[in-house]
Amino acid sequence: MKPIVRPAAIAGLLALACASRPPEVPEPLLALMNREVQLPPAVDVATSDGALHARVAGRLTGDFAKNAKGYLGTFAIGTQTPVMCQVFDEAKDPASALVAMSDSLFTEIAGKKKVEDREILGVDAGHTGADPYLGVDWIAKLDGAAHQIKQKVGNRGARSLYCVHDEPGYAASFDRFFAGFLASLEEPGDQAPMQYRDVAVLKIAGNEVGFQTVRVLRMSDGNYRTVTQSSLLVPASSDQLLASDDYSSELSRPDGSVISEMRITSDGKDLTQLELSRAKGTWEVKGKMQGKDVSERFAKPEALVSALDENRRMLRVAHGTAQEQHYFRWLGALSPGKPLEHLMQKTGESSVRIAVGSLQMDAEVDDRSAARGSMKIGRMQIDIERTYVDGSL
């Protein structure tokens, strides 16, 4: 299944990524950045009001107390500087949240120290089970001293976890701490049985820049709900990040035809939300796009292919029961009032290519879905590698 990120956004992100260069790290700081620590055993931690429980590989210092956004706590993990974590009462857009949190963090630091310089060291994407997360590392000169500041954001159910660690080194230790914390957050059970889940890491020029998740639920009436989310975080300059968060919730019949769909895209500033539905033989699209109202209608084709059915077609083509497939899909903001024709062709023993106008997706397919692939827009490319899968379609 190809990413739902807007192709125009990908083109801009890729251009910026190609223009960016990693910072030069001072030798003294570079030596400190190699440090790691053995985390303490995970222990049960509860908020001061008892509303939230987690298992954390760190000693809570002070209260895990309620604030306006959720719950805030500080944890000693065996390093000189503790880790500060905020559990939000709502799920955030990970990439946009990291941009906002970075801006807020450096604004707060500037109130206490002189921020002489800051540069993006790198972006990383990980997952704990089926729950992905994003991270960004900074190199900063504060009051004449070199710092490495590490931040991560991930969602689990209806909550988001954000953690920051301001001390050179301990990158792998911080990652293990965050992954364990995120995995232990209580998650409300799904109302419908989960049939399939996967996580894929997105890369540009070999560098991790984001993730995509797919979750397929089988509803009580036999229909399917496919939820696809992607987040991309790319350096726009040495000290500025550009975010793209995309969400799609699609309802489809057992035969793979679309019933309805909602797509939401955000860069942390502008929000586009479009809803597709069908009534009286006509497809209708309503919502907002770049701050303007959208209202579109189209009658043909009568049946649109869902993400679920596209994956089924991919399996058939990749494994030889069909050589080629033509079909139409609605792609939201890319073409709100007109579904686009897709051409899927077999390109190897277990590989396919999907072409949609100037957009091209190549995928290596196993017995579940696309295990890896790449999306190309002209000469620009984003690589996709599935890193977690559970269930089957």
Side-chain angles (χ1 to χ4, degrees), residues 17-71:
C18 292
S20 64
R21 294 292 183 270
E24 293 186 9
V25 181
E27 285 293 335
L29 182 61
L30 193 60
L32 293 175
M33 286 169 55
N34 291 324
R35 297 182 297 180
E36 295 295 346
V37 68
Q38 183 174 347
L39 297 176
V43 296
D44 290 326
V45 173
T47 54
S48 51
D49 61 5
L52 178 65
H53 296 262
R55 285 189 60 81
V56 181
R59 178 176 55 84
L60 179 64
T61 63
D63 291 332
F64 196 5
K66 180 73 175 176
N67 60 15
K69 300 176 181 179
Y71 295 90

Side-chain angles (χ1 to χ4, degrees), residues 75-311:
F75 302 87
I77 65 169
T79 58
Q80 184 175 346
T81 303
V83 175
M84 188 278 289
C85 292
Q86 171 78 49
V87 179
F88 291 94
D89 288 332
E90 61 180 1
K92 299 285 187 179
D93 291 332
S96 299
L98 269 178
V99 172
M101 289 296 190
S102 295
D103 291 343
S104 177
L105 175 65
F106 281 103
T107 297
E108 182 181 348
I109 291 173
K112 303 173 183 177
K113 300 179 180 180
K114 182 180 180 181
V115 181
E116 299 175 38
D117 188 27
R118 69 172 191 177
E119 291 186 88
I120 301 159
L121 179 62
V123 174
D124 66 275
H127 67 91
T128 174
D131 298 310
Y133 53 88
L134 275 181
V136 60
D137 287 8
W138 295 87
I139 299 296
K141 191 174 183 180
L142 311 176
D143 280 350
H147 288 246
Q148 180 190 13
I149 302 173
K150 305 174 289 292
Q151 299 172 285
K152 292 186 186 294
V153 169
N155 292 343
R156 182 165 169 81
R159 293 190 175 99
S160 281
L161 174 65
Y162 164 77
C163 293
V164 58
H165 187 222
D166 179 6
E167 187 173 355
Y170 312 111
S173 305
F174 179 55
D175 187 77
R176 291 194 302 271
F177 167 85
F178 183 87
F181 196 160
L182 183 64
S184 71
L185 285 177
E186 299 165 339
E187 183 181 21
D190 294 307
Q191 296 181 353
M194 187 77 66
Q195 178 158 330
Y196 176 87
R197 300 182 296 180
D198 73 24
V199 178
V201 172
L202 309 179
K203 296 181 181 181
I204 295 174
N207 299 312
E208 294 178 354
V209 293
F211 63 78
Q212 176 184 267
T213 67
V214 177
R215 295 176 183 245
V216 180
L217 307 174
R218 187 69 184 268
M219 314 303 289
S220 59
D221 59 4
N223 293 324
Y224 292 87
R225 172 79 60 189
T226 301
V227 176
T228 307
Q229 294 178 277
S230 65
S231 290
L232 279 151
L233 189 66
V234 174
S237 64
S238 63
D239 64 349
Q240 296 293 322
L241 291 161
L242 187 64
S244 177
D245 292 286
D246 295 74
Y247 171 90
S248 169
S249 178
E250 180 186 67
L251 187 63
S252 61
R253 300 178 182 87
D255 67 1
S257 59
V258 173
I259 299 173
S260 62
E261 185 174 359
M262 176 177 65
R263 286 183 177 238
I264 302 173
T265 64
S266 172
D267 61 4
K269 298 176 183 178
D270 296 323
L271 181 71
T272 292
Q273 180 169 336
L274 299 172
E275 294 189 36
L276 172 74
S277 61
R278 187 170 177 84
K280 299 180 180 179
T282 301
W283 291 102
E284 183 177 71
V285 179
K286 287 191 174 295
K288 285 187 176 293
M289 185 174 173
Q290 297 177 342
K292 298 180 180 180
D293 290 335
V294 173
S295 181
E296 300 279 357
R297 291 177 181 272
F298 58 91
K300 299 290 185 179
E302 295 181 4
L304 294 174
V305 165
S306 64
L308 180 64
D309 191 38
E310 182 176 59
N311 193 79

Side-chain angles (χ1 to χ4, degrees), residues 2-25:
K2 57 184 175 292
I4 59 171
V5 185
R6 296 151 286 164
I10 292 178
L13 290 166
L14 287 169
L16 291 166
C18 292
S20 64
R21 294 292 183 270
E24 293 186 9
V25 181

